[in-house]
Amino acid sequence: GVGPSDASPDEGVVEDLPLIDEKAVEQLTEGLISHYLPDLQRSKSALQELTQNQEVLLDTLEQEISKFKECNSILDIDALFSEAKRYHNKLVNIRNEMMMLHEKTSKLKVSGISN
């Protein structure tokens, strides 16, 4: 029967492997690196360029946003000046009316005194 004391299926595999030639491993590693490294370096430089372009784009967007904010504040100032002008006109009209009323009351007083 099969029991826990039986040999593991992996047992003895390590002994079956041939001796690893370290120079061959080194050469294979260098070959692998030389095969993939140029593509990786190109990808790296492309990503760096993309990142720089994104930073420039972000800066430009921030400048445009600040311009829009300035435009909005200018529009607000325009509205404020229009309102101030309207109130100024009202004040001028009130002053004119008061002067007219003052003249009328002065005339009434003068005519009342002379009667």
Side-chain angles (χ1 to χ4, degrees):
V2 178
S5 62
D6 287 346
S8 161
D10 293 336
E11 199 172 300
V13 171
V14 176
E15 287 84 8
D16 294 344
L17 286 175
L19 288 173
I20 296 170
D21 183 355
E22 292 204 11
K23 183 160 185 163
V25 169
E26 194 177 312
Q27 287 175 340
L28 285 170
T29 305
E30 283 176 14
L32 194 66
I33 288 173
S34 68
H35 180 73
Y36 286 108
L37 194 60
D39 284 341
L40 289 172
Q41 285 174 330
R42 278 194 293 275
S43 297
K44 181 183 176 185
S45 65
L47 284 171
Q48 284 174 334
E49 189 179 340
L50 183 64
T51 304
Q52 287 172 345
N53 289 341
Q54 284 179 330
E55 287 173 2
V56 169
L57 185 62
L58 281 172
D59 287 344
T60 307
L61 276 173
E62 284 177 11
Q63 289 171 6
E64 291 301 313
I65 287 170
S66 66
K67 284 181 191 174
F68 278 117
K69 284 180 180 173
E70 284 174 22
C71 285
N72 280 343
S73 61
I74 288 171
L75 289 174
D76 289 346
I77 290 171
D78 272 353
L80 193 64
F81 274 120
S82 298
E83 201 173 344
K85 190 173 180 182
R86 203 173 73 234
Y87 282 116
H88 178 262
N89 288 337
K90 281 186 177 185
L91 282 171
V92 168
N93 289 338
I94 290 170
R95 190 187 72 186
N96 289 342
E97 282 183 39
M98 287 178 74
M99 285 171 61
M100 208 166 60
L101 286 171
H102 181 263
E103 281 179 31
K104 283 183 181 179
T105 53
S106 296
K107 283 179 184 175
L108 284 172
K109 282 182 186 175
V110 169
S111 63
I113 292 171
S114 60
N115 283 345

